[in-house]
Amino acid sequence: MSDAHDPTTQTETCHTGHGYMGDKSRYLARLKRIEGQVRGIHRMVDEEQYCIDILTQISALTKALEGVALGLLDDHLKHCVLDAARQGGDEGEIKIKEASDAIARLVRS
């Protein structure tokens, strides 16, 4: 198998920084809020709160995670995939396949 399919090599072939680096603090803040939501849901279950209220919070948590995932995907497309496509050759096709696979995983979840 070629190095192009090795995940560590793929990370290195993305330009000098990951696409999300410009928004890193925003992503970290969003993830911190998501952590709080998870703790809140844990507490709700522990306190035996009403099922529908817990499900409502799980729905909000799911949307928050989807928002982070879509933001990261958008950053990846705008940076890593675009950079690889500009370089030409197999690298662009590899990055497009990688992004398509990630989208398929998100859609299935």
Side-chain angles (χ1 to χ4, degrees):
M1 185 185 307
S2 76
D3 286 346
H5 295 288
D6 178 7
T8 56
T9 303
Q10 287 179 345
T11 301
E12 292 167 10
T13 59
C14 188
H15 63 78
T16 38
H18 298 294
Y20 64 85
M21 293 309 289
D23 291 327
K24 181 179 175 181
S25 61
R26 187 174 56 98
Y27 281 117
L28 289 173
R30 290 175 77 184
L31 290 168
K32 190 95 168 153
R33 285 192 302 274
I34 289 169
E35 285 181 86
Q37 286 178 283
V38 171
R39 284 191 299 274
I41 292 168
H42 183 274
R43 187 182 66 251
M44 291 175 79
V45 171
D46 187 47
E47 295 172 357
E48 301 176 8
Q49 292 191 16
Y50 187 54
C51 300
I52 298 301
D53 294 340
I54 295 169
L55 290 170
T56 299
Q57 291 306 309
I58 290 172
S59 177
L61 174 64
T62 301
K63 288 293 182 193
L65 283 170
E66 286 174 357
V68 170
L70 290 173
L72 287 169
L73 179 61
D74 186 59
D75 288 340
H76 181 68
L77 291 171
K78 289 178 179 174
H79 293 83
C80 298
V81 175
L82 186 59
D83 286 352
R86 285 180 179 150
Q87 290 176 9
D90 291 339
E91 189 62 27
E93 289 182 32
I94 291 168
K95 289 293 181 188
I96 289 171
K97 169 95 170 81
E98 179 183 68
S100 292
D101 291 347
I103 292 167
R105 285 191 301 272
L106 285 171
V107 170
R108 282 192 301 260
S109 62

